[in-house]
Amino acid sequence: MADEQTDDAGPVTMLATPIRLDFEFTPGVAQSKFLRGLERGEFLGQRCGTCGKVYVPSRGTCPTDGVPTTEDVLLGNSGTVTTFCVVNVPFAGQSIEIPYICAQILLDGANLSFMGLIQEIPTDQIRMGMRVEAVWVDESELIPSLASVRYFRPNGEPDADYDTYKEYL
Amino acid sequence: MAESEVLHAEHRLEYPYARSTGPVIGAFLTALREGRFLGATGSDGKVIVPPTEYDPITSDDVGELVEVGPGGVVDSWAWVSAPLRKHPLQTPFAWALITLDGADTGLLHVVDAPGPDALSAGARVTARFRPEAERIGSMADVEAFEIEGGAS
């Protein structure tokens, strides 16, 4: 730290001023269920009893109807890429080798997409509507975190029709 | 879901900022590393400690840097009976505005005193610098101020 701040012989020209916030986070009941599901290797969502939409991850309420989502819904392992981004730019803290694909994935039966990493495909072959499946870490390494999903990869099915995901872009 | 199944996790958000000090603050910090205090002379002749880079009245560059302290007078203070982990001292202490000898403004720092009864507005204090090898050019190079002549 002293090296960052000063040259021992010369005047002080720089000052390290780190900002740090330590806090305890609780995801609450609904997201804890989702995270506990990940710990079992499952995507667990919740359905709104009023509009019928399935949220994964669920925040415990339906943002449209303002009612609690009480019905748990177990979703499958496959979904559709609704939109994507190929990351070519290095940045501090980057943990994945560039280029890589970051995609919004709509799980089958869900009405909310979430972000996932796409692997096992050249970056120039990713496309909207591509069918993908989750690849999980080894069972012994499952934790209540999205880190339990290593990535998504093409599952070999024909691309989904645009109409099936156009509401989720 | 039972309460015990709701997750909790410790999080830390941290940005490793560094900032350039400029000629005035840089000189002030360099002097701290040498175990001295510098103040800036303002357009009205008053000595500003810690120094500002610009004159608070005219906004021009400040004038000559002059040495002040290491003794001074407590202007006001607040006793901290239960220090937090991030506080500069882990024993009860006072935050204080201290006008160093030769200065006309108050410097915020800590006073290491045996208890609140040892402090008063007007009390004489002196800086206790860290050992030279530990000083890095930071406000923390002053470990604390102490009551002159021990607790009174």
Side-chain angles (χ1 to χ4, degrees), chain A residues 2 5-8 10-27 29 32-33 35-36, chain B residues 1 4-21 26 29-30 33 85 136-138:
Chain A
Q5 295 200 354
T6 63
D7 172 346
D8 279 350
V12 176
T13 58
M14 294 293 286
L15 185 65
T17 54
I19 292 177
R20 192 171 84 190
L21 178 65
D22 291 306
F23 60 100
E24 186 176 326
F25 176 76
T26 175
V29 171
S32 289
K33 279 187 179 177
L35 294 166
R36 294 289 188 196
Chain B
M1 172 175 260
S4 60
E5 292 175 72
V6 175
L7 293 159
H8 295 265
E10 300 293 327
H11 282 238
R12 172 173 292 175
L13 181 66
E14 188 169 34
Y15 298 103
Y17 289 129
R19 56 198 300 166
S20 59
T21 55
L29 295 173
T30 303
R33 196 178 60 195
R85 183 162 41 94
I136 58 172
S138 154

Side-chain angles (χ1 to χ4, degrees), chain B residues 13 24-25 39 45 56-57 64 77 81 93 104 110-111 124 141 144-145:
Chain B
L13 181 66
V24 176
I25 306 297
I57 298 168
E64 190 188 1
W77 54 281
S81 55
F93 68 93
D104 294 286
V110 300
V111 179
R124 292 280 313 167
D141 288 353
F145 282 79

Side-chain angles (χ1 to χ4, degrees), chain B residues 38-84:
Chain B
L38 290 184
T41 309
S43 57
D44 56 359
K46 289 188 172 173
V47 176
I48 306 153
V49 183
T52 53
E53 197 154 338
Y54 299 100
D55 188 283
I57 298 168
T58 65
S59 302
D60 289 334
D61 291 350
V62 288
E64 190 188 1
L65 296 176
V66 295
E67 187 162 346
V68 296
V73 173
V74 171
D75 297 326
S76 62
W77 54 281
W79 187 252
V80 180
S81 55
L84 301 177

